[in-house]
Amino acid sequence: MESRYVPPDDPGPSIGTMELADMPYIFCDYYKPDHPRPRIRITDTKGIIKDRIPITDLAFGSLFHYALKKAKDDCEKALRTIREELKSKKIYLRLGLARPYGNIPEPYKGWCALQVNGFHTFPDLYDRDYGEWIRSD
């Protein structure tokens, strides 16, 4: 099984943050008839490659769909634009686990898939004033 899956009863954490030393490779994964989805390939500190990890972060998803629309549904062009913007930023990923798979045959029943559920950059990729989101009432 690929290194992007975690077996049932794994003693490791279900969520963690990872600082990237190098630019991750972000690419399009196509599911017909569905729209393309962004995936990422990263290398952990032990040199193990984690490939085809879905990016489920909502802000990144919104940025991706905006870039996709602007690129007239050309996924590669949309991601080139995003990759170019990421070159000047420090990237942190929050990695988490999806819910366990239920309706698949043994021996993979109950396994969880790794996903990027937080995509953070400094300076901020999304150009938002987070102070406006905080209310003191």
Side-chain angles (χ1 to χ4, degrees), residues 44 46 68 70 77 97 101 106 122:
D44 71 13
K46 296 177 184 175
L68 191 60
K70 204 170 176 186
K77 184 176 180 181
L97 299 176
Y101 294 115
E106 295 293 341
F122 295 97

Side-chain angles (χ1 to χ4, degrees), residues 10-23:
D10 186 86
S14 63
I15 195 164
T17 301
M18 178 180 189
E19 177 183 359
L20 301 179
D22 297 321
M23 176 77 166

Side-chain angles (χ1 to χ4, degrees), residues 49-66:
I49 295 172
K50 312 271 188 213
D51 198 12
R52 295 190 66 233
I53 302 170
I55 302 172
T56 61
D57 178 81
L58 293 177
F60 187 90
S62 294
L63 175 66
F64 171 72
H65 289 293
Y66 173 78

Side-chain angles (χ1 to χ4, degrees), residues 38-107:
R39 301 282 179 157
I40 194 167
R41 178 183 304 130
I42 56 175
T43 304
D44 71 13
T45 56
K46 296 177 184 175
I48 298 170
I49 295 172
K50 312 271 188 213
D51 198 12
R52 295 190 66 233
I53 302 170
I55 302 172
T56 61
D57 178 81
L58 293 177
F60 187 90
S62 294
L63 175 66
F64 171 72
H65 289 293
Y66 173 78
L68 191 60
K69 184 177 179 181
K70 204 170 176 186
K72 297 182 172 54
D73 291 327
D74 182 338
C75 189
E76 301 304 327
K77 184 176 180 181
L79 284 180
R80 269 195 305 274
T81 302
I82 292 171
R83 280 191 222 108
E84 189 62 34
E85 189 67 30
L86 288 171
K87 282 183 181 177
S88 63
K89 303 190 183 311
K90 189 148 192 88
I91 301 169
Y92 296 86
L93 301 178
R94 186 177 62 237
L95 301 172
L97 299 176
R99 291 188 177 133
Y101 294 115
N103 295 331
I104 63 172
E106 295 293 341

